[in-house]
Amino acid sequence: ISKPTDPGLRVQHAELLCYLNRFDEAMDESDIVIQMSPKFRDAYVVKAQSLAGKRRFKEALRCLDEAFKLGAPSWKLLLTKGTFMERDERYREAVLIFNQVIKLEPRDANAYMHRAHCDREINGPTEKSLKDLEMVAKLKPDDPSIKAQIKGLKNAMSKQAGKVRKPI
């Protein structure tokens, strides 16, 4: 039987607290695990998620980077890092991360969706964003919100094209 001092149980507890939006408690629990076992990677991940829950994205990214030092990140952890960067309005850096995610897991619709959003924030409505949204529609054919987003992007692109043309 595991004791309450077992780092694995404490990380699970921290994760549950995080899911319950009890971010401060989750961070405290994660910190205890990090003190007990500085190489316990999941403690850094849970702490990063808790920090992000409090909209402290720069700190969350530093925590993820600590976790990444303890082993190569999965595509899911890279996706998490990219979304934290996106939410911190670091769009160009986020695009680079989403590119990595797509290379590792080309069937993940979320990576295309986030990359499309970042590209639109950087460049406005573009063909590149549209291609990403169309890929999301392929990967999630039953999601009606994607079709609406594609339609909105096409409208924005055509309005933009209309502004570029000069009247004769």
Side-chain angles (χ1 to χ4, degrees):
I1 294 177
S2 297
K3 299 175 188 169
T5 56
D6 177 79
L9 284 179
R10 292 201 88 137
V11 166
Q12 287 177 354
H13 184 237
E15 198 168 19
L16 287 171
L17 290 167
C18 188
Y19 286 133
L20 295 170
N21 295 332
R22 293 166 57 182
F23 302 121
D24 289 322
E25 294 169 85
M27 283 187 284
D28 289 345
E29 196 71 12
S30 297
D31 283 337
I32 290 168
V33 174
I34 290 167
Q35 285 178 331
M36 290 168 48
S37 302
K39 294 189 186 296
F40 203 116
R41 185 176 191 215
D42 290 348
Y44 294 95
V45 173
V46 173
K47 184 174 180 180
Q49 291 167 332
S50 301
L51 286 161
K54 295 186 65 88
R55 306 192 59 73
R56 292 164 54 185
F57 301 111
K58 285 174 184 42
E59 293 169 82
L61 287 162
R62 281 195 294 273
C63 257
L64 274 185
D65 287 340
E66 287 301 314
F68 292 2
K69 288 177 187 174
L70 299 172
S74 65
W75 66 268
K76 286 184 179 182
L77 280 180
L78 283 172
L79 181 66
T80 299
K81 182 175 183 171
T83 57
F84 290 175
M85 287 178 161
E86 178 183 9
R87 292 176 72 196
D88 196 38
E89 298 180 2
R90 293 165 57 182
Y91 301 116
R92 291 184 195 286
E93 292 170 86
V95 166
L96 297 174
I97 299 293
F98 296 132
N99 289 342
Q100 289 178 40
V101 173
I102 290 166
K103 188 175 180 183
L104 293 169
E105 184 50 57
R107 309 254 335 130
D108 183 70
N110 292 319
Y112 293 99
M113 179 70 85
H114 287 290
R115 187 171 72 175
H117 174 257
C118 290
D119 184 63
R120 191 162 179 186
E121 289 294 324
I122 297 165
N123 300 308
T126 63
E127 193 68 36
K128 189 175 175 187
S129 296
L130 180 61
K131 282 185 179 22
D132 276 347
L133 287 181
E134 287 171 341
M135 180 57 86
V136 174
K138 272 188 206 172
L139 294 169
K140 291 179 148 187
D142 298 330
D143 188 339
S145 70
I146 303 305
K147 291 177 180 87
Q149 286 185 48
I150 289 171
K151 184 179 179 184
L153 181 56
K154 285 181 177 178
N155 287 340
M157 288 169 68
S158 65
K159 283 180 186 173
Q160 188 181 49
K163 287 180 184 176
V164 173
R165 292 189 200 120
K166 294 182 181 177
I168 298 172

